[in-house]
Amino acid sequence: MLESAFHPEDQARSLIDRRLLAAGWLVQSKAEMNLGAGLGIAVREFQTASGPVDYGLFVDRRLCGVVEAKAQGTTLSGFAEQAARYIADAPKHLIREEGQVRFEYVASGTETLFRDHSDPAPVSRRVFWFHRPETLDLWLKQSLTLRARLQTMPEVVTDGLRACQIDAVVALERSLAENRSRALVQMATGAGKTFTACTLSYRLLAHAGFKRILFLADRANLVRQTRDEFLAYRPPGTGRSFSELYNVQKLGAAGLDKDAQVVVATIQRVYSVLAGRELAEDEEEVSSFEVGGADAERLVSYNPALPIESFDLVITDECHRSIYGTWRQVLEYFDAFTVGLTATPSLHTLGFFGRNLVAQYPYERSVVDGVNVGFEIFRIRTEIGERGATVKAGYDLPVRDKRTRAQRYETLSEDFSYTPDQIDRSVLVPNQIRTVLETYRDTLFTELFPSRRDVPKTLIFAKDDHHAEEIVTLVREVFGKGNDFAKKITYRTDGADPESLIRSFRNDYTPRIAVTVDMIATGTDVKPIEVLIFFRDVKSELYFEQMKGRGARTI
């Protein structure tokens, strides 16, 4: 076996060279040092009074930081003090002002710790990559660091805010001022999480000098809804809309708009931009609650078009545990604070946020406050739904091709038995669906809503698009109504824009009944909904709470 010709630290320096170059630095030896060659120069084996540091960092000809390299696999935290010593012993003739040499990196080529010595109580933090020279140049020109500015925030203007929103904003700003990298807020569905995010975002942009904020929503239609809420938001005391003060971007295939201060996206879209790959339209339309936990982790590589300092804050709204597993590296790519907003925190979520749950506003309290309403359960049991059934041999059974939807008939050569779990997936039983819908119709104005004349706005959850198609047809048949009475709203809705259907369901008299799979299952705000019908099992308790919240809003 041939041993490597390189010392482990030399291998680390080779990796660090490549990382610095990718981030826009020019790497030079002492002999070839030319500080006028570019904005950012990293000089190898730079001499200090304590000996040579692996790299001295110069921005616009000014020494501003150091990089201490260690072999891969080395635990790095203990070497921060060594790097700090090199900073303290930097050549005096190169220092024009106090605090000029302040940026400290300890790196192994696969792991990097960063510390800004101008921060209050400066502490090292892990970063995915090195910052660009332009970023350090900007930080050098600011009188206070971002973390210092967070400690001098003005009081919250409470006009137009609910008490739970005020509590959340105050608690989040306190957590940020304490330099807690992650914070979680629990707010019941309908309590105004997005409005809270708008308030926090405005204050951080206006008073803390945040450059850009990323808001992650669960699906593409929620991205559009969130963008519209940011555009319409009017910060208290300004007399102007948010869109008059700051640029809001819905992230698309073209990538990041450098002038945007708020960027709204799905995590799938952010990953596709980082990876430089195309994203199919339907990949953004499936709720992350529906994504299984067994997916391979989405590993990311550094992308100079979207450097780690692109965002100062990442807000994640109502995302399933997969965002903290499968998609975790996408979140950890950015050198940013992370704030989570959820109605239903899971152990995965609490773990990711280090149990830093800063504010809570549970569903029960929201009902007491009149923000949401309570609910009652009406259980409809059918023999087939409870036990399944058997179709006898000799029966002509219709078989539908799921891909083409073409139907043919096959004669059963032997008995065919199916279980409740197979119903509406591999086996469709129209009579079972019809029985449930007829029961709903017949009890609607007697047992469920006595004295009412109009069918309340009703949302039906189907198992898949084919199931939804069958339900819509049977709803129209059972209620004896036309096409406008019941609509299918899924991302596979042919011939109609799902967004316009959602708006119509929210604002118009018809449709009275909408059938969906998961497009309106989380986040989508349709306040007039009074009835939810589950034609499916929901395996996740958290997802069920999200779905239930679609009908809990107070009008």
Side-chain angles (χ1 to χ4, degrees):
M1 181 183 294
L2 291 175
E3 292 189 7
S4 172
F6 292 101
H7 188 276
E9 287 194 13
D10 291 332
Q11 291 178 318
R13 289 189 192 99
S14 178
L15 288 170
I16 291 168
D17 280 0
R18 292 202 290 270
R19 287 183 167 226
L20 286 166
L21 287 166
W25 294 85
L26 295 177
V27 181
Q28 300 176 351
S29 66
K30 285 187 296 182
E32 63 184 5
M33 190 168 94
N34 175 12
L35 299 182
L39 177 66
I41 307 294
V43 180
R44 295 193 199 95
E45 297 296 319
F46 183 74
Q47 192 64 42
T48 73
S50 297
V53 64
D54 291 291
Y55 300 83
L57 299 179
F58 290 79
V59 171
D60 196 19
R61 297 176 179 269
R62 299 171 67 198
L63 178 65
C64 65
V66 301
V67 180
E68 179 62 12
K70 294 299 171 187
Q72 289 186 64
T74 306
T75 52
L76 301 179
S77 60
F79 294 98
E81 301 317 311
Q82 180 182 348
R85 196 162 57 248
Y86 289 132
I87 285 177
D89 291 340
K92 303 304 179 190
H93 68 279
L94 293 175
I95 299 174
R96 303 176 199 168
E97 57 193 41
E98 187 178 351
Q100 173 185 314
V101 189
R102 52 186 262 201
F103 303 118
E104 167 203 302
Y105 295 90
V106 181
S108 65
T110 53
E111 185 181 15
T112 305
L113 295 182
F114 169 74
R115 175 164 56 159
D116 184 345
H117 285 260
S118 292
D119 280 337
V123 63
S124 300
R125 63 180 184 267
R126 276 182 173 76
V127 291
F128 186 85
W129 210 263
F130 291 102
H131 302 96
R132 293 181 60 79
E134 293 85 351
T135 301
L136 300 191
D137 188 39
L138 175 66
W139 291 349
L140 286 166
K141 292 172 180 174
Q142 294 172 341
S143 56
L144 292 173
T145 70
L146 181 144
R147 284 161 175 76
R149 296 193 296 270
L150 283 168
Q151 300 197 338
T152 59
M153 294 286 286
E155 286 193 11
V156 176
V157 179
T158 59
D159 297 351
L161 292 176
R162 294 172 176 155
C164 62
Q165 294 168 335
I166 297 169
D167 292 345
V169 172
V170 170
L172 284 170
E173 290 184 3
R174 186 185 308 120
S175 179
L176 293 172
E178 292 169 356
N179 199 19
R180 302 286 295 273
S181 61
R182 297 173 183 173
L184 182 65
V185 169
Q186 178 194 2
M187 292 181 73
T189 295
K193 292 191 295 297
T194 307
F195 195 86
T196 302
C198 292
T199 303
L200 177 68
S201 298
Y202 165 72
R203 287 178 52 79
L204 295 178
L205 291 167
H207 305 304
F210 275 44
K211 181 179 67 176
R212 191 180 295 116
I213 293 169
L214 173 63
F215 188 105
L216 294 173
D218 192 29
R219 294 187 314 284
N221 76 307
L222 298 185
V223 168
R224 293 185 284 268
Q225 179 177 297
T226 301
R227 177 200 57 196
D228 292 345
E229 287 194 51
F230 265 99
L231 292 175
Y233 173 69
R234 300 185 73 84
T238 65
R240 303 167 74 184
S241 68
F242 191 90
S243 59
E244 292 178 278
L245 299 166
Y246 301 106
N247 292 324
V248 180
Q249 179 197 9
K250 173 182 171 290
L251 189 65
L256 181 66
D257 177 357
K258 300 298 183 186
D259 295 324
Q261 281 94 14
V262 172
V263 178
V264 189
T266 61
I267 199 161
Q268 299 97 306
R269 174 61 66 186
V270 176
Y271 172 73
S272 74
V273 172
L274 280 173
R277 62 177 285 266
E278 293 292 323
L279 184 68
E281 196 171 314
D282 61 356
E283 288 184 68
E284 284 193 284
E285 295 292 2
V286 179
S287 168
S288 56
F289 278 95
E290 291 289 281
V291 177
D295 282 5
E297 184 181 1
R298 299 305 204 278
L299 300 177
V300 299
S301 300
Y302 182 72
N303 186 339
L306 199 65
I308 64 167
E309 60 269 49
S310 295
F311 303 102
D312 295 316
L313 173 69
V314 177
I315 302 173
T316 71
D317 182 33
E318 291 303 6
C319 292
H320 181 258
R321 63 189 174 88
S322 67
I323 198 173
Y324 311 119
T326 303
W327 301 99
R328 187 184 186 109
Q329 199 174 98
V330 181
L331 281 181
E332 293 178 340
Y333 175 87
F334 298 106
D335 181 27
F337 290 102
T338 306
V339 166
L341 306 174
T342 183
T344 49
S346 68
L347 289 176
H348 293 84
T349 308
L350 287 168
F352 179 84
F353 287 96
R355 302 195 72 85
N356 188 28
L357 182 61
V358 299
Q360 292 179 274
Y361 186 68
Y363 172 73
E364 292 77 11
R365 185 174 152 197
S366 74
V367 174
V368 172
D369 291 347
V371 172
N372 285 316
V373 297
F375 62 92
E376 297 177 43
I377 297 170
F378 185 72
R379 180 75 186 272
I380 302 173
R381 289 184 170 90
T382 65
E383 184 74 24
I384 288 175
E386 295 292 311
R387 297 183 177 82
T390 299
V391 183
K392 295 296 183 181
Y395 186 79
D396 288 336
L397 195 68
V399 178
R400 188 185 297 280
D401 186 303
K402 271 205 165 189
R403 185 177 59 84
T404 65
R405 291 192 53 83
Q407 183 172 290
R408 68 182 190 280
Y409 283 83
E410 290 183 4
T411 302
L412 291 177
S413 59
E414 55 186 44
D415 290 355
F416 173 68
S417 298
Y418 56 90
T419 65
D421 288 343
Q422 291 174 279
I423 295 174
D424 301 320
R425 290 202 185 276
S426 56
V427 179
L428 194 64
V429 188
N431 278 339
Q432 192 255 357
I433 299 172
R434 186 179 289 105
T435 298
V436 172
L437 293 173
E438 286 174 346
T439 304
Y440 175 52
R441 178 198 64 194
D442 295 342
T443 56
L444 196 50
F445 303 126
T446 55
E447 188 174 345
L448 299 178
F449 292 88
S451 76
R452 290 276 285 272
R453 295 183 178 180
D454 296 322
V455 175
K457 289 276 186 173
T458 301
L459 180 61
I460 298 176
F461 293 112
K463 291 182 179 178
D464 57 30
D465 193 63
H466 298 283
H467 188 209
E469 188 82 10
E470 190 73 24
I471 293 172
V472 166
T473 301
L474 289 170
V475 167
R476 293 165 180 168
E477 176 189 312
V478 166
F479 283 87
K481 302 289 186 181
N483 286 5
D484 289 344
F485 178 79
K487 295 284 187 182
K488 183 183 76 168
I489 306 179
T490 70
Y491 65 86
R492 289 196 179 99
T493 300
D494 298 326
D497 174 19
E499 287 301 309
S500 66
L501 288 174
I502 291 173
R503 280 195 301 273
S504 180
F505 188 44
R506 179 189 295 123
N507 301 321
D508 301 338
Y509 180 77
T510 56
R512 303 304 295 171
I513 297 178
V515 185
T516 191
V517 178
D518 68 349
M519 193 166 187
I520 318 180
T522 63
T524 306
D525 185 6
V526 184
K527 290 183 178 181
I529 294 174
E530 294 184 80
V531 179
L532 304 174
I533 299 179
F534 290 84
F535 265 107
R536 57 182 288 189
D537 289 331
V538 184
K539 304 297 184 185
S540 163
E541 181 184 353
L542 302 184
Y543 193 28
F544 176 71
E545 290 298 319
Q546 289 291 325
M547 297 164 86
K548 193 177 69 180
R550 297 316 98 212
R553 307 291 180 96
T554 300
I555 300 178

